[in-house]
Amino acid sequence: MPLELVLLDIAPMMTVLGGVVLELQDCALAHLKEVIATDSEEVAFKNVDVAILVGSMPRKEGMERKDLLKANVKIFKSQGAALDKFAKKTVKVVVVGNPANTNCLTALKSAPSIPKENFSCLTRLDHNRARAQISLKLNVTCSDVKNVIIWGNHSSTQYPDASHATVAIGGKDVPAYEAVKDDAWLKGGFISTVQQRGAAVIQARKLSSAMSAAKAICDHVRDIWFGTPKGQYVSMGVISDGNPYGIAEDLLYSFPVSIEGKNWKIVEGLKIDEFSREKMEVTAKELLEEKETAFEFLSCA
Ligand SMILES: NC(=O)c1ccc[n+]([C@@H]2O[C@H](COP(=O)([O-])OP(=O)(O)OC[C@H]3O[C@@H](n4cnc5c(N)ncnc54)[C@H](O)[C@@H]3O)[C@@H](O)[C@H]2O)c1
Ligand SMILES: *[C@@H]1O[C@H](CO)[C@@H](O)[C@H](O)[C@H]1NC(C)=O
Ligand SMILES: *[C@@H]1O[C@H](CO)[C@@H](O)[C@H](O)[C@H]1NC(C)=O
Ligand SMILES: CC(=O)N[C@H]1CO[C@H](CO)[C@@H](O)[C@@H]1O
């Protein structure tokens, strides 16, 4: 399937973006037919099938969380409205720019003619980090580790949950808790390592995750397009309407989902214990507060 890639950035970045175009050409990608660089939302979103919203306002020295949120509401309101106007109604919108969950909710609310199920935000990087930690612990490959879950916000309050995960050992999928045999780690160090992984990368690299984030975006979009393997699920931030886990309606929250025919479904029937429930609530509460502030900006902007 030939791909046409349209790159959107702000006007002062057009020279830099030109450099990205050169590199993309130099990759000699088999399926890349055309690359267009633009600073126009109309050009960028016209008839697109997939929109990956990466650009957002980064936190600057001394900037209040509220001001940062306000700047991002403005960006994602504008991009949501442009998607509403110019994109196909079947467009799949993936929000990466932080705060990803709330930016996704802002875009979704600003695009009323596009089904809200077609919006999601990236928590696949956290999901991949969780798989990787378990595979490192057991000295198996990541593909042996399945069905970890990231619940909630893409932040340090997220809940990386291994209680439904399995590890393939001797050709059999064994519950992760049985395979790891270290409950204290799965309820402690595992969770905090995944929660803090973004900060660890920044500390070491002096730059935030780039390669792993790009890989996670590819995984996320591929699964939306082609579906998830039978019996397996992945994590993504989606609208919480009618979800079976008692998370407040109308929150953009990361859930375990399975995907078929380009439709995601929140995985049902997972047993949630006390420990998990408490952690799921903490991250929901954080998102609820952020949503309320964002909606104030959204209605007055
Ligand atoms: N959800 C995740 O897992 C995840 C992972 C990695 C990065 N992120 C987030 O993704 C975002 C991008 O990260 P990065 O490292 O590529 O940052 P970056 O600063 O290198 O790139 C961001 C680009 O967005 C552009 N931009 C700013 N405002 C824009 C607008 N209104 N329209 C179009 N473009 C605009 C900037 O000019 C810049 O080129 C950040 O918010 C980062 O925190 C999220
Ligand atoms: C991990 O497993 C491989 C074989 O798959 C083995 O060669 C290696 O020594 C193991 N490493 C550790 C740290 O156990
Ligand atoms: C939710 O996560 C994002 C991304 O890490 C972060 O910027 C935001 O502050 C978090 N929300 C709250 C209310 O802490
Ligand atoms: C992922 C998802 O829910 N996609 C839907 C987007 O909207 C179109 C058109 O309404 C649906 O057919 C897709 O299933």
Side-chain angles (χ1 to χ4, degrees):
M1 186 168 55
L3 287 179
E4 289 167 42
L5 204 53
V6 193
L7 308 177
L8 172 72
D9 209 310
I10 49 179
M13 293 298 284
M14 285 304 110
T15 312
V16 174
L17 199 58
V20 176
V21 174
L22 297 183
E23 277 217 89
L24 278 165
Q25 290 170 344
D26 296 349
C27 287
L29 294 159
H31 301 288
L32 189 57
K33 203 177 125 212
E34 193 178 10
V35 188
I36 298 164
T38 182
D39 62 358
S40 150
E41 288 178 345
E42 176 169 358
V43 172
F45 295 140
K46 190 92 189 170
N47 289 327
V48 287
D49 293 300
V50 178
I52 302 169
L53 308 185
V54 182
S56 67
M57 176 68 80
R59 190 173 206 144
K60 294 191 193 108
E61 191 81 356
M63 199 173 188
E64 295 262 352
R65 190 203 286 257
K66 243 187 151 158
D67 294 329
L68 182 68
L69 187 59
K70 191 174 185 178
N72 279 308
V73 167
K74 190 161 168 257
I75 293 173
F76 287 84
K77 183 184 181 181
S78 169
Q79 295 193 353
L83 283 162
D84 199 57
K85 219 163 143 189
F86 303 119
K88 289 185 186 166
K89 298 303 169 203
T90 54
V91 65
K92 309 287 175 275
V93 184
V94 180
V95 177
V96 178
N98 280 320
N101 296 56
T102 302
N103 288 343
C104 185
L105 191 60
T106 302
L108 177 162
K109 294 288 176 189
S110 308
S113 75
I114 298 169
K116 56 184 185 297
E117 292 76 22
N118 286 22
F119 288 78
S120 60
C121 84
L122 190 77
T123 54
R124 185 60 169 268
L125 177 52
D126 311 290
H127 181 98
N128 287 347
R129 286 166 173 165
R131 283 178 88 180
Q133 284 306 309
I134 293 173
S135 85
L136 287 168
K137 178 91 173 171
L138 294 173
N139 191 23
V140 298
T141 60
C142 284
S143 54
D144 293 330
V145 182
K146 296 179 199 119
N147 297 354
V148 297
I149 302 170
I150 303 298
W151 301 95
N153 194 16
H154 168 67
S155 74
S156 55
T157 67
Q158 66 176 255
Y159 171 40
D161 179 6
S163 51
H164 306 282
T166 61
V167 183
I169 291 171
K172 216 178 133 237
D173 288 333
V174 178
Y177 268 80
E178 264 176 45
V180 171
K181 298 187 188 73
D182 186 351
D183 291 16
W185 180 74
L186 282 172
K187 287 183 165 18
F190 162 72
I191 294 175
S192 57
T193 300
V194 175
Q195 288 173 333
Q196 304 296 336
R197 191 68 162 184
V201 171
I202 291 175
Q203 235 220 327
R205 244 169 61 84
K206 314 288 177 251
L207 287 169
S208 63
S209 340
M211 182 168 48
S212 56
K215 162 66 165 55
I217 297 170
C218 292
D219 288 348
H220 181 116
V221 174
R222 187 199 52 227
D223 285 348
I224 288 180
W225 212 257
F226 297 110
T228 46
K230 218 174 164 49
Q232 287 187 42
Y233 42 84
V234 293
S235 307
M236 54 173 79
V238 295
I239 195 80
S240 64
D241 292 5
N243 81 82
Y245 297 107
I247 300 302
E249 298 270 299
D250 210 30
L251 267 195
L252 210 300
Y253 190 94
S254 179
F255 287 102
V257 303
S258 59
I259 305 166
E260 205 189 330
K262 297 197 176 73
N263 283 303
W264 54 262
K265 222 174 134 275
I266 295 174
V267 175
E268 287 179 43
L270 300 173
K271 221 169 148 275
I272 307 296
D273 63 14
E274 255 331 86
F275 179 83
S276 294
R277 169 64 51 200
E278 196 192 304
K279 294 212 151 8
M280 287 160 68
E281 293 293 340
V282 169
T283 186
K285 185 164 172 284
E286 172 181 289
L287 279 174
L288 199 55
E289 286 166 11
E290 194 167 71
K291 169 185 152 177
E292 279 162 9
T293 316
F295 280 14
E296 280 169 33
F297 294 139
L298 192 58
S299 59
C300 68

